[in-house]
Amino acid sequence: MSYSITQSTPKILGAGLVCLDIIKDNGSIRRYPGGTCGNVVSFLAFLGWQSTVLTTPYSDLAGELISSSFRQTGVEQMHLKKKPSGAPRIFENILRHNADYVTHSFSFTCPECNRKMPELITPG
């Protein structure tokens, strides 16, 4: 009996939340490409998978940060729409009450100016 094992690169096509995570912790603000789908395809690309993610084309700096991160990790973006839009953003506020008690909250509103941030636009 003989076995033939062929190795091929695993592939994934991601569809879901891709956004810019804005995290405020101890007064400092950090920005990371994120969203469940964005994180999964990026991690799998890091592990050698051929990764593609469905997004809309982004027309702002937040979108360029997301796209740049995808290029750096080897994730291909497949655009669902032709019309560019602002990249979705999620703000997370981490509150450290003491060494043992930390809470956090999420918002789609800018904490500085109280304007509503762009949210995920679904194809339709």
Side-chain angles (χ1 to χ4, degrees):
M1 186 187 305
S2 74
Y3 294 95
S4 174
I5 298 175
T6 59
Q7 289 187 331
S8 63
T9 302
K11 298 176 185 176
I12 185 167
L13 174 61
L17 179 61
V18 173
C19 66
L20 183 68
D21 289 335
I22 304 168
I23 302 169
K24 183 176 181 182
D25 184 10
N26 283 338
S28 69
I29 295 180
R30 299 179 311 251
R31 293 164 183 82
Y32 299 103
T36 308
C37 181
N39 290 339
V40 169
V41 296
S42 294
F43 292 139
L44 290 173
F46 176 77
L47 294 173
W49 287 51
Q50 181 180 334
S51 298
T52 304
V53 65
L54 299 173
T55 65
T56 58
Y58 300 128
S59 61
D60 56 6
L61 180 58
E64 181 50 40
L65 291 170
I66 293 167
S67 295
S68 175
S69 176
F70 283 148
R71 284 190 299 274
Q72 289 174 357
T73 56
V75 175
E76 180 183 342
Q77 284 181 270
M78 182 182 295
H79 295 139
L80 294 172
K81 295 181 175 182
K82 300 273 188 238
K83 183 179 177 185
S85 65
R89 298 158 178 83
I90 296 177
F91 179 79
E92 179 180 10
N93 190 25
I94 299 173
L95 299 171
R96 298 180 183 278
H97 304 281
N98 60 47
D100 298 322
Y101 184 58
V102 178
T103 61
H104 66 104
S105 62
F106 295 100
S107 173
F108 289 101
T109 304
C110 175
E112 302 295 321
C113 66
N114 290 324
R115 287 190 325 198
K116 192 168 176 71
M117 294 187 283
E119 293 184 42
L120 179 66
I121 300 170
T122 57

